[in-house]
Amino acid sequence: RQRFDGDSLRLWPTGVSTDLFGLAFVGPTQALVVGDEGTLVVLLEAGPRSIDSGTSETLRSVLAIDTLHSLVVGDGGTFMRIENLRARAIDTGRTEALLGVAVVGTEATLVGERGLILSVSAADEVNVEREPSGHTLRAVGGCGGGDLYAVGDEGSVLRRTFEGRWSPIHVDSEQ
């Protein structure tokens, strides 16, 4: 609910009292926030504007692709595209909570409950890259060359290679 304006911190009203879980800047003075009960709000200098998410599921994370396109994930397998400030749900066919989203090229990668990993093409084709079989994954991100990393509960870290295989990275806690 606060933002930096130059060198000072300013109050940025959201117009909602629900818990919020994700924020993405979609422009220099605009942001999207997501939260409980399908809360989806665009924060503007003129004030907040609610967007109908079409769901009552808790929304967990939002990723801005550009000023007109964002991705949102949440509970109950919720995945949606926000285009021109309108939400469009994509049926993932899953009920597990989705907690993180990243984009490499034109493909979105979604991670979530019990280690579920989905990929979604630009044409909204959903593929399971990893069935739920381990620790909950809470975030996913890329690092040059097309590699992706997913992190989650109990220190779990997975890496997807350019070939599309996910494998755990074992970190020595003694170092």
Side-chain angles (χ1 to χ4, degrees), residues 4 9 11 22 48 52 69 100 114 116 159:
F4 278 100
L9 192 60
L11 182 62
D52 181 10
H69 187 197
R114 295 181 17 248
L116 174 67
R159 177 178 174 260

Side-chain angles (χ1 to χ4, degrees), residues 4-38:
F4 278 100
D5 186 6
D7 291 331
S8 61
L9 192 60
R10 306 276 173 130
L11 182 62
W12 200 351
T14 63
V16 298
S17 60
T18 56
D19 291 341
L20 301 174
F21 298 105
L23 173 134
F25 282 87
V26 293
T29 59
Q30 302 92 17
L32 284 175
V33 294
V34 298
D36 276 344
E37 301 169 4

